[in-house]
Amino acid sequence: MLRSSLLALAASARAKRLAGTMPGSSGIVSRFVAGETVDDAIRVARELSGAGLRVSLDHLGEGTLDRGQAESTVAAYLEALDALAEVDLTRDAELSIKLSAIGQALGGDGQAGRRGSEGHRVALDNAREVCLAARNAGTTVTLDMEDHTTTDSTLEVLTDLRQDFPETGAVLQSQLRRTEADCRDLASAGSRVRLCKGAYEEPASAAYRDQVEVDRSYVRCLKVLMNGAGYPMVATHDPRLVRIAGVLAERADRDPASYEFQMLYGVRPDEQLRLAASGSTVRVYVPYGDQWYGYLMRRLAERPANVAFFARSLVSRG
Ligand SMILES: Cc1cc2nc3c(=O)[nH]c(=O)nc-3n(C[C@H](O)[C@H](O)[C@H](O)COP(=O)(O)OP(=O)(O)OC[C@H]3O[C@@H](n4cnc5c(N)ncnc54)[C@H](O)[C@@H]3O)c2cc1C
């Protein structure tokens, strides 16, 4: 119930305007977000890399209907790549991109960014530009997955992008009923696939609504990915699923370098270090920028204990 309300708030323009007056450096925001500038992102990336962790930088923003805004996001990613190269971090840090931040929703022609639509063309062109710069800098890009209405469109852009940039990573969400089949399609050699539970409120027609079902689906999907030829990226903070991933990797005779764990910045940092110290590859997803509202709301929905803290920081600003 609370999760649904928070996810509804995540999509509310009015709540977003209210929260938007709060600096990204304050309290609860700074726990989950590196800061508002690329310098903040680089500072955090250096700290994590110094501690033996890898990084995926996410320039916050989503759902733009403005072409200029989509181009600014591309420019922000190019700036981040330059900044990473300058401090020699492109081996340890890659980029995560939401297609809806770089044009997928443009056109509004009812095709939701499907092949042939303006959204598909613009998002693909923009993603190509970032992938090329990433490759030249010696790193890679992963396409984040958003709500289920964008899954087909995102996988179509991924397929087209992988013609030229096969190293581009995908994200699949175990809460969606379709995902086990998508895992089978994507578990091929060279294919990097991040498996997460899914952060969006979805209808029962498309998704498992019961957490136990979501977790069971996660394990089924993990089995497919670990037994496949690709590179699984196990994105969860769930101790049980982390343990199961380790067991499945061992059973599949996987070398620790042939898959990785991923966690979010600010969530279970001790566990991130513990896993890395035990020889696993661990990547931390580091968001930065001033468009933190939707991202933060999804984090609160996962851990309602933080809601009161967030509410107090809003109220104390009057
Ligand atoms: C690297 C990464 C990238 C992601 N990318 C996407 C994406 O592209 N699209 C998308 O929809 N979602 C994405 N997500 C979010 C994901 O879908 C989940 O919403 C989020 O990770 C929470 O699910 P969970 O697997 O951690 O388990 P949950 O069910 O939230 O938590 C399970 C258990 O983990 C532990 N735990 C969780 N949080 C905490 C905490 N703060 N402190 C201590 N213990 C905790 C607790 O034991 C809890 O019971 C991503 C997640 C990660 C880690």
Side-chain angles (χ1 to χ4, degrees), residues 3 31-32 98 143-146 171 173 175 194 196-200 211 215 218 235-239 241 262-264 266-268 283-285 298-299 302-303 306:
R3 177 174 189 264
R31 186 180 147 195
F32 295 107
K98 285 186 175 48
L143 301 183
D144 280 354
M145 189 59 85
E146 300 176 67
V171 178
Q173 302 151 317
Q175 71 170 343
R194 175 196 300 161
C196 62
K197 290 189 187 180
Y200 298 83
Q211 277 312 303
D215 291 358
Y218 198 102
T236 182
H237 314 100
D238 193 324
L241 294 177
Q262 298 192 342
M263 294 192 186
L264 301 176
V267 181
R268 303 198 73 204
R283 190 178 298 278
V284 184
Y285 184 101
R298 290 193 291 276
R299 299 296 75 80
E302 284 151 15
R303 198 116 181 126
N306 287 324

Side-chain angles (χ1 to χ4, degrees), residues 161-235:
L161 207 49
R162 279 187 170 176
Q163 305 276 323
D164 297 321
F165 303 98
E167 66 274 28
T168 307
V171 178
L172 296 174
Q173 302 151 317
S174 73
Q175 71 170 343
L176 297 189
R177 296 177 190 277
R178 58 178 287 165
T179 292
E180 198 179 340
D182 288 334
C183 284
R184 276 191 219 101
D185 289 347
L186 290 179
S188 53
S191 171
R192 298 189 311 119
V193 180
R194 175 196 300 161
L195 180 65
C196 62
K197 290 189 187 180
Y200 298 83
E201 178 75 357
E202 304 286 16
S205 54
Y208 303 110
R209 306 269 305 170
D210 175 8
Q211 277 312 303
V212 174
E213 283 299 311
V214 175
D215 291 358
R216 281 193 189 132
S217 164
Y218 198 102
V219 175
R220 289 196 300 275
C221 293
L222 259 185
K223 282 184 183 161
V224 174
L225 295 176
M226 287 293 184
N227 291 324
Y231 181 84
M233 303 188 278
V234 183

Side-chain angles (χ1 to χ4, degrees), residues 68-79:
Q69 178 63 41
E71 279 161 15
S72 308
T73 301
V74 171
Y77 276 112
L78 301 183
E79 184 190 17

